[in-house]
Amino acid sequence: MRKIVIVGGVAGGATAAARLRRLSEKYQIIMFERGEYISFANCGLPYYIGEVITDRNKLLVQTVEGMAKRFRIDVRNLSEVTAIHRDRKTVTVKNIRTGEEYEETYDTLILSPGAKPMIPPIPGIHEANALFTLRNLSDTDKIKAYVDHEKPKSAVVIGGGFIGVEVAENLVKRGVNVTLVEMANQVLAPIDYEMASIVHAHMRENGVNLILEDGVKAFEDNGRRIVLNSGRTLETDMIILAIGVQPESQLAKNAGLELGVRGTIKVNEYLQTSDPNIYAIGDAIEVKNYIHGFETFVPLAWPANRQGRLVADHIHGLDVKYNGTLGTAIVKIFELTVAATGNNEKTLKQLGIPYEVVHVHPMSHAGYYPNATQMTLKLIFDKETGKIYGAQAVGKDGVDKRIDVIATAIKGGLTVRDLPDLELAYAPPFSSAKDPVNMAGYVASNILDGMVETVQWHEIDEIIANGGTLIDVRTPKEVACGTIPGAINIPLDELRERLAELPKDKTIYVTCQVGLRGYLATRILHDNGFRAKNLDGGYKLYSSVFGAKH
Amino acid sequence: MRKIVIVGGVAGGATAAARLRRLSEKYQIIMFERGEYISFANCGLPYYIGEVITDRNKLLVQTVEGMAKRFRIDVRNLSEVTAIHRDRKTVTVKNIRTGEEYEETYDTLILSPGAKPMIPPIPGIHEANALFTLRNLSDTDKIKAYVDHEKPKSAVVIGGGFIGVEVAENLVKRGVNVTLVEMANQVLAPIDYEMASIVHAHMRENGVNLILEDGVKAFEDNGRRIVLNSGRTLETDMIILAIGVQPESQLAKNAGLELGVRGTIKVNEYLQTSDPNIYAIGDAIEVKNYIHGFETFVPLAWPANRQGRLVADHIHGLDVKYNGTLGTAIVKIFELTVAATGNNEKTLKQLGIPYEVVHVHPMSHAGYYPNATQMTLKLIFDKETGKIYGAQAVGKDGVDKRIDVIATAIKGGLTVRDLPDLELAYAPPFSSAKDPVNMAGYVASNILDGMVETVQWHEIDEIIANGGTLIDVRTPKEVACGTIPGAINIPLDELRERLAELPKDKTIYVTCQVGLRGYLATRILHDNGFRAKNLDGGYKLYSSVFGAKH
């Protein structure tokens, strides 16, 4: 009987174990978990702190006993695997309850150790009393107990990634004054700066004191005072350290397994490490970027789960492989949903890959049906082939749906030209006859077809500073509420009659509210012999980044 | 200057006109509309009756003046095109205000006449006073005025299609006692019977008196009494006739243009009629089924809109074609969302196309996060290739997203084997690490891989009647709330110990709540030398159709 040993029983590990059993009653399966719990709801932890989830038991997706019984798996929790002996195919296991150590043999080993919070060597960090990280249920219990009993008035969250913003929101829900400190110029690295700007405003509106482009220099007074790199100091009752995670690869490294980027465990397309008897899955491994093929580190739940399934299938002899990670991610922040799939501009710039971008601001569903809200949807693609490189969306409703549709389109090999052809479900409570994804596809296709040229939000100020002509084709009433400094107001419906006011010898830049009227205007200008470029995303996107201007 | 004449200015017609102008300032564009309004929100009309939409102006997406000005289009409303003279390339137009008739020439003609409610020759129909159909704003105004001023206590809606169920809901919202009469054994033809059963229960829970498999024989007493085919009579204060629509193809027919199925206007892949100078789009045309290629009639907003765009592109000389209609459709019914894409079982049976079906009942998002609700998701596919033929879903939340993802997968040529690989956005408020679409893909792939054999909800009663062995692997507590008559209860976690109770010489059928534990049980049985089949969709689906049984 083949003996399969799994190290780590939370996400991918538990999935692999269950799938192995479904594949065959004949495997001997042992699953070691260092912590007390297997298969708990990691992604739900911040919401338990915020009392959005009130029943702690709900976080326990699968109990040790339940899983052992149902899947006939030898589940050993509070059991840490401390060494792998590849020569004799055994692992050393430490029973955390008793301190006792023993060896266990394996035919096949699956490593699913996960990732742990990074703890940088900041002066005073070890003396800080109420400093927490959030990885597991025990961390969650500590944070929640502190909030419940110490009733902190203030908290500083360090790091604006998914966990940081989720914890910030949930502490606000508990009545805590939250400051979030982020080293970069934006929160949520998977989206680009202009999209994050919308999130920044929303977090501030909801009471988060957001400090960007600053980091922690030192913790003082047992963590009651934080000194930032800028010299600014923050007094606080508690600290959440959420600057990121790093793969738990020490065990693999000690066993001489090959490592990948950022200390990950290197695996092949079958999720085998450099030792073919040892597989690795989940947050600890290096994955290939689905679109551009580069090696990367994407600690997310979906890939862990998928890999858990595939590793079981491959061990069972099925012809499967892991095709890489797209990096689809989503987070709720107060009333906003922020989601992304594929690669962002920052990544493509770093890789030196040319790309084109469009931003649209469609309604979540038919504008005439109650509760429609406007979202910002960004599409990144190859200007030559129309290949979809990525998408990002921010809005109050329907954002998850549009990113999922685009993630599916990417997996289907569809290009931006195919997006208008997606026959998506329309009735007024759900969408419009042109869904936001159709709309983004139309706008991108217009660029591919040469129907319109665009400029981006970050280019227009400099263009005007250098003497460029920008016309704002909205109504005077709209323009009175703010416009791009230097813009000349010619309402779209007057444009055909006022062409004589415009120079024929230089490019005319056009803006409107969201980009649609600007597009119509550039078409009119083009057909009348002018050269014109539309400001992609219009004044709405521009003012999201720079604020209202007059 | 090329002169393009458009007949019909509501959905596809208005889209074509606007796109033509964006393509070129040089076209002369005339758009005739028989009614008063162009480009109104057809799909919103029932909700205005129900006062969900309270501002009538919101239904007017585009005014005649606004469109004329912005797109420089000669919009002539209250102008009916009564004849096409293909020989001299003119149309006869009747000014409805003045009764005056004139001819207008065209270089290219676009027909976008739409579809009209069917009015069958039922005895007494013309004498019925408060009998309404719902097609346009004027119909809506009449119905709303009747409800507002006559305050009907009761209404009978005849026909359970999209319009019928939407009007039924909106009349209930207005405090009217609604009876809905449908000739078929189910409402909403795009979904199959077992899915519609969920809708039937929900409509009844919300106070609709639903009469299935019955039709109207006669209207009596000026429509105050309805006699059904069954002999049953209904007293009512008002009647909505919504038995379906038929294409407005008389104009095309009179002009000698070729017609298609169900009286539609026949077009080629470029949306040209049998006269290449005449295009036709929208609810009046014949389309090809996207998946199986047969000719069909799909009067929906998305295709009309898409065709409006494409017809403009083709006229402008762009290399585009219409690839057929998938028939993605969605409707809100009280708290439920019902959506479908592709082909249903009924259609495939009629066509004699073999197919396989799976039903899953996943949660809309992580079960531990508040407000997660269970949906029923059905996937129909080819058992050999895994090609996706269609999907249907019913639930309170997240149904639109899953159907859109599957519609996109179909357009991307993905099979059910690719669905587990869709990297969809996961955080607890939005999904699970295995999204419902992933889950459906896993279940379908298991069938393709021979991991499990299934039986359907409509087969199991007969199997038991013929002496088949069915085990229900839920807990005794669950079974006490209802099970399939004849089932033997062996809880899953006891199955391995109780195998001796089961016969090895015949197929064992297995059921559970949703199908998942049943699948595990069939795997255990299979690996222990039994032949086993799982009841697809479990007791939940079975009881949706047949009600709770003991």
Side-chain angles (χ1 to χ4, degrees):
Chain A
M1 186 151 57
R2 188 160 168 194
K3 184 171 174 184
I4 299 157
V5 170
I6 301 170
V7 181
V10 178
T15 301
R19 173 69 175 169
L20 278 166
R21 176 57 69 227
R22 290 195 302 269
L23 287 165
S24 172
E25 286 283 300
K26 295 184 183 69
Y27 295 127
Q28 182 188 355
I29 306 169
I30 305 176
M31 186 168 85
F32 294 110
E33 167 54 39
R34 183 170 52 184
E36 186 176 353
Y37 304 105
I38 57 161
S39 199
F40 61 85
N42 316 44
C43 303
L45 302 181
Y47 297 99
Y48 179 63
I49 295 168
E51 296 186 335
V52 173
I53 297 168
T54 49
D55 181 359
R56 186 175 178 281
N57 284 324
K58 285 200 171 175
L59 298 173
L60 302 169
V61 176
Q62 185 63 275
T63 64
V64 171
E65 300 69 30
M67 179 139 193
K69 178 83 183 152
R70 175 148 304 168
F71 294 97
R72 211 163 48 77
I73 287 164
D74 182 351
V75 183
R76 304 186 199 167
N77 63 336
L78 293 167
S79 297
E80 182 174 7
V81 173
T82 57
I84 305 168
H85 312 288
R86 292 164 52 193
D87 46 347
R88 55 180 187 269
K89 292 176 90 176
T90 70
V91 291
T92 300
V93 186
K94 183 178 170 184
N95 182 324
I96 292 176
R97 279 188 199 86
T98 64
E100 172 201 6
E101 287 201 339
Y102 60 97
E103 278 195 32
E104 190 68 60
T105 61
Y106 66 80
D107 295 313
T108 302
L109 183 64
I110 302 174
L111 302 179
S112 180
K116 63 185 173 194
M118 285 196 279
I119 301 178
I122 297 168
I125 196 165
H126 297 298
E127 291 73 39
N129 289 329
L131 183 146
F132 304 91
T133 55
L134 177 55
R135 182 189 188 183
N136 54 33
L137 208 47
S138 147
D139 298 338
T140 309
D141 289 338
K142 282 181 203 149
I143 297 171
K144 184 154 192 299
Y146 187 85
V147 175
D148 289 352
H149 302 122
E150 303 298 324
K151 307 205 185 309
K153 289 201 173 57
S154 60
V156 173
V157 175
I158 302 167
F162 290 120
I163 295 175
V165 300
E166 284 179 345
V167 171
E169 175 181 350
N170 279 285
L171 289 174
V172 168
K173 285 211 168 81
R174 296 297 305 272
V176 181
N177 278 313
V178 176
T179 297
L180 191 148
V181 180
E182 165 59 50
M183 191 93 84
N185 65 351
Q186 63 161 96
V187 299
L188 301 173
I191 60 173
D192 288 310
Y193 176 73
E194 80 283 14
M195 302 297 283
S197 297
I198 305 167
V199 181
H200 297 160
H202 188 72
M203 289 181 78
R204 286 175 172 137
E205 277 163 23
N206 280 278
V208 176
N209 174 28
L210 190 59
I211 300 175
L212 299 171
E213 297 185 81
D214 210 344
V216 177
K217 191 194 233 161
F219 297 102
E220 296 181 350
D221 193 14
N222 296 113
R224 298 198 61 84
R225 190 181 313 112
I226 301 175
V227 184
L228 301 183
N229 291 334
S230 62
R232 188 169 172 180
T233 64
L234 302 168
E235 306 289 327
T236 186
D237 294 337
M238 69 184 293
I239 298 164
I240 306 282
L241 191 64
I243 58 168
V245 296
Q246 59 189 20
E248 287 257 29
S249 55
Q250 194 62 45
L251 182 69
K253 189 180 174 186
N254 291 347
L257 296 176
E258 197 180 336
L259 298 189
V261 293
R262 295 173 63 183
T264 50
I265 306 170
K266 208 170 187 67
V267 295
N268 65 15
E269 61 193 344
Y270 306 114
L271 302 164
Q272 286 165 306
T273 65
S274 51
D275 179 336
N277 293 314
I278 305 178
Y279 291 77
I281 58 175
D283 289 357
I285 70 166
E286 179 184 270
V287 293
K288 278 220 178 345
N289 177 270
Y290 182 82
I291 296 175
H292 289 104
F294 57 88
E295 282 80 23
T296 182
F297 168 52
V298 186
L300 286 172
W302 188 94
N305 202 292
R306 181 77 185 124
Q307 292 157 12
R309 170 89 172 205
L310 289 174
V311 84
D313 286 356
H314 194 258
I315 289 169
H316 191 65
L318 299 181
D319 177 27
V320 293
K321 60 180 183 176
Y322 186 67
N323 294 317
T325 301
L326 201 48
T328 310
I330 192 166
V331 63
K332 186 183 99 59
I333 306 176
F334 298 100
E335 289 168 60
L336 280 186
T337 304
V338 180
T341 189
N343 295 327
N344 58 31
E345 281 197 73
K346 283 173 296 191
T347 304
L348 295 170
K349 259 182 204 152
Q350 268 172 22
L351 296 170
I353 295 168
Y355 60 86
E356 187 68 41
V357 170
V358 298
H359 299 82
V360 292
H361 294 97
M363 300 304 279
S364 53
H365 60 251
Y368 55 79
Y369 189 88
N371 303 321
T373 56
Q374 205 170 17
M375 70 179 72
T376 302
L377 174 59
K378 175 179 183 174
L379 194 60
I380 308 171
F381 55 98
D382 180 58
K383 200 174 168 175
E384 301 306 315
T385 62
K387 180 173 177 171
I388 304 167
Y389 285 167
Q392 300 164 33
V394 179
K396 293 189 177 174
D397 187 41
V399 158
D400 54 334
K401 177 162 74 172
R402 277 63 190 217
I403 290 299
D404 277 0
V405 164
I406 296 173
T408 303
I410 292 174
K411 289 262 166 141
L414 298 177
T415 72
V416 295
R417 286 188 192 280
D418 298 311
L419 297 184
D421 246 334
L422 295 181
E423 196 176 326
L424 304 173
Y426 164 56
F430 305 101
S431 182
S432 299
K434 271 183 210 155
D435 185 83
V437 175
N438 297 145
M439 191 63 90
Y442 279 127
V443 173
S445 300
N446 282 334
I447 291 180
L448 261 64
D449 292 340
M451 285 279 291
V452 65
E453 289 181 273
T454 58
V455 286
Q456 288 297 319
W457 58 274
H458 53 82
E459 297 172 319
I460 194 69
D461 279 344
E462 197 184 333
I463 286 168
I464 296 175
N466 291 330
T469 298
L470 174 69
I471 60 170
D472 186 332
V473 298
R474 294 175 304 161
T475 62
K477 203 173 145 187
E478 288 175 282
V479 170
C481 298
T483 185
I484 296 170
I488 303 156
N489 183 212
I490 302 180
L492 174 59
D493 291 343
E494 297 174 16
L495 181 62
R496 288 185 181 90
E497 284 71 49
R498 293 175 61 180
L499 293 173
E501 297 173 31
L502 297 169
K504 281 224 167 178
D505 59 341
K506 62 178 207 175
T507 299
I508 296 162
Y509 296 88
V510 182
T511 186
C512 65
Q513 184 62 19
V514 299
L516 182 58
R517 280 174 287 172
Y519 164 56
L520 300 183
T522 62
R523 292 301 307 157
I524 293 170
L525 289 169
H526 176 268
D527 263 20
N528 283 283
F530 294 86
R531 180 150 187 242
K533 290 191 184 187
N534 188 28
L535 177 66
D536 177 52
Y539 180 69
K540 186 168 169 63
L541 184 67
Y542 178 92
S543 60
S544 294
V545 181
F546 301 113
K549 300 260 182 177
H550 291 274
Chain B
M1 187 153 57
R2 188 159 169 194
K3 185 172 174 183
I4 300 156
V5 169
I6 302 169
V7 181
V10 178
T15 299
R19 173 67 176 170
L20 279 165
R21 177 56 70 229
R22 289 196 300 270
L23 286 165
S24 173
E25 286 283 302
K26 295 184 182 67
Y27 295 126
Q28 182 187 356
I29 306 168
I30 303 176
M31 186 168 84
F32 294 109
E33 166 55 39
R34 182 169 54 184
E36 186 176 353
Y37 304 105
I38 57 161
S39 199
F40 62 86
N42 316 43
C43 303
L45 302 180
Y47 297 98
Y48 178 64
I49 295 168
E51 296 186 335
V52 174
I53 297 168
T54 49
D55 181 359
R56 185 176 180 280
N57 284 323
K58 283 200 173 177
L59 299 173
L60 302 169
V61 177
Q62 185 65 275
T63 63
V64 172
E65 300 70 28
M67 179 140 192
K69 177 82 183 153
R70 174 148 305 167
F71 295 95
R72 210 160 51 75
I73 288 163
D74 183 352
V75 183
R76 304 187 199 169
N77 61 336
L78 293 167
S79 297
E80 182 172 7
V81 172
T82 56
I84 304 167
H85 312 287
R86 291 164 54 193
D87 47 347
R88 55 181 186 272
K89 293 176 87 173
T90 69
V91 292
T92 300
V93 186
K94 182 176 170 187
N95 182 326
I96 292 174
R97 279 188 199 85
T98 63
E100 170 200 6
E101 286 203 340
Y102 59 97
E103 278 195 31
E104 189 68 59
T105 61
Y106 66 80
D107 294 313
T108 303
L109 184 64
I110 303 173
L111 302 179
S112 180
K116 63 183 174 193
M118 285 194 281
I119 300 178
I122 297 169
I125 196 165
H126 298 297
E127 291 73 40
N129 289 329
L131 183 145
F132 304 91
T133 55
L134 177 55
R135 181 189 189 185
N136 54 32
L137 208 47
S138 147
D139 298 337
T140 309
D141 289 337
K142 281 180 204 150
I143 297 171
K144 184 157 191 298
Y146 187 84
V147 176
D148 290 349
H149 302 123
E150 302 298 325
K151 306 202 186 315
K153 288 199 174 58
S154 59
V156 173
V157 176
I158 302 166
F162 290 120
I163 294 174
V165 299
E166 284 179 345
V167 170
E169 174 181 350
N170 279 286
L171 288 175
V172 168
K173 285 211 168 81
R174 296 297 305 274
V176 180
N177 279 313
V178 176
T179 297
L180 191 147
V181 179
E182 165 59 49
M183 191 95 84
N185 65 351
Q186 63 162 93
V187 298
L188 301 174
I191 61 174
D192 288 311
Y193 176 72
E194 81 282 16
M195 302 297 283
S197 296
I198 305 168
V199 181
H200 297 161
H202 188 71
M203 290 180 77
R204 285 174 173 141
E205 278 164 24
N206 281 278
V208 176
N209 175 27
L210 190 60
I211 300 174
L212 298 171
E213 297 183 80
D214 210 345
V216 177
K217 190 193 234 163
F219 297 101
E220 296 182 349
D221 192 12
N222 296 112
R224 299 199 59 86
R225 191 182 312 111
I226 303 176
V227 182
L228 301 183
N229 291 334
S230 62
R232 188 169 171 179
T233 63
L234 302 168
E235 305 291 325
T236 187
D237 295 335
M238 68 184 291
I239 298 165
I240 306 282
L241 192 64
I243 59 166
V245 296
Q246 59 189 18
E248 287 257 29
S249 55
Q250 195 60 47
L251 182 69
K253 188 180 177 186
N254 291 348
L257 297 176
E258 196 179 334
L259 298 188
V261 294
R262 296 173 62 183
T264 50
I265 305 170
K266 207 170 186 70
V267 294
N268 64 16
E269 59 192 344
Y270 307 114
L271 302 163
Q272 286 165 307
T273 66
S274 52
D275 179 337
N277 294 313
I278 305 178
Y279 291 77
I281 58 176
D283 289 358
I285 71 167
E286 179 183 272
V287 293
K288 279 219 174 351
N289 178 269
Y290 182 82
I291 296 176
H292 290 104
F294 56 87
E295 281 80 23
T296 182
F297 168 52
V298 186
L300 286 171
W302 188 93
N305 201 293
R306 181 78 186 123
Q307 292 157 12
R309 168 91 171 204
L310 289 173
V311 84
D313 286 355
H314 194 258
I315 288 168
H316 190 63
L318 299 180
D319 175 27
V320 293
K321 59 179 184 177
Y322 186 67
N323 295 317
T325 301
L326 201 48
T328 310
I330 192 165
V331 64
K332 187 185 98 60
I333 306 174
F334 298 101
E335 289 167 61
L336 280 186
T337 304
V338 180
T341 188
N343 295 329
N344 59 30
E345 282 197 72
K346 285 174 294 193
T347 305
L348 295 170
K349 258 181 206 151
Q350 269 174 20
L351 295 170
I353 295 169
Y355 60 86
E356 186 68 41
V357 170
V358 297
H359 299 82
V360 291
H361 293 98
M363 300 303 281
S364 54
H365 61 250
Y368 55 78
Y369 190 88
N371 303 321
T373 57
Q374 205 169 18
M375 69 178 73
T376 302
L377 174 59
K378 174 180 185 175
L379 194 61
I380 308 170
F381 55 97
D382 181 56
K383 199 174 169 175
E384 302 305 315
T385 63
K387 180 174 176 168
I388 304 167
Y389 285 167
Q392 301 164 33
V394 179
K396 293 190 178 176
D397 186 41
V399 158
D400 54 334
K401 176 163 75 174
R402 276 63 188 217
I403 290 299
D404 278 358
V405 164
I406 296 173
T408 303
I410 293 174
K411 289 261 165 142
L414 298 178
T415 72
V416 296
R417 285 188 192 280
D418 298 310
L419 297 183
D421 246 335
L422 295 181
E423 195 176 327
L424 304 172
Y426 164 55
F430 305 102
S431 182
S432 299
K434 269 184 211 157
D435 186 83
V437 176
N438 296 146
M439 191 64 91
Y442 279 126
V443 173
S445 300
N446 282 335
I447 291 179
L448 261 65
D449 291 340
M451 285 280 291
V452 67
E453 288 181 273
T454 59
V455 286
Q456 288 297 320
W457 57 273
H458 53 83
E459 297 172 319
I460 194 70
D461 278 345
E462 198 184 332
I463 286 168
I464 297 174
N466 292 331
T469 299
L470 173 69
I471 60 170
D472 185 331
V473 298
R474 295 176 302 162
T475 62
K477 203 173 143 188
E478 288 174 282
V479 171
C481 298
T483 185
I484 297 170
I488 303 157
N489 183 213
I490 303 181
L492 173 60
D493 292 342
E494 297 174 16
L495 182 61
R496 289 187 182 90
E497 285 70 50
R498 293 176 60 181
L499 292 172
E501 297 174 30
L502 298 169
K504 281 224 169 181
D505 59 342
K506 62 179 207 173
T507 299
I508 296 161
Y509 297 87
V510 182
T511 185
C512 65
Q513 183 62 18
V514 299
L516 182 58
R517 280 174 288 173
Y519 164 57
L520 299 184
T522 61
R523 291 301 307 158
I524 293 170
L525 290 168
H526 176 268
D527 263 22
N528 284 283
F530 294 87
R531 182 149 185 242
K533 290 190 183 189
N534 189 28
L535 177 65
D536 178 52
Y539 179 69
K540 186 169 169 62
L541 185 68
Y542 178 91
S543 59
S544 294
V545 181
F546 301 112
K549 300 258 182 179
H550 292 273

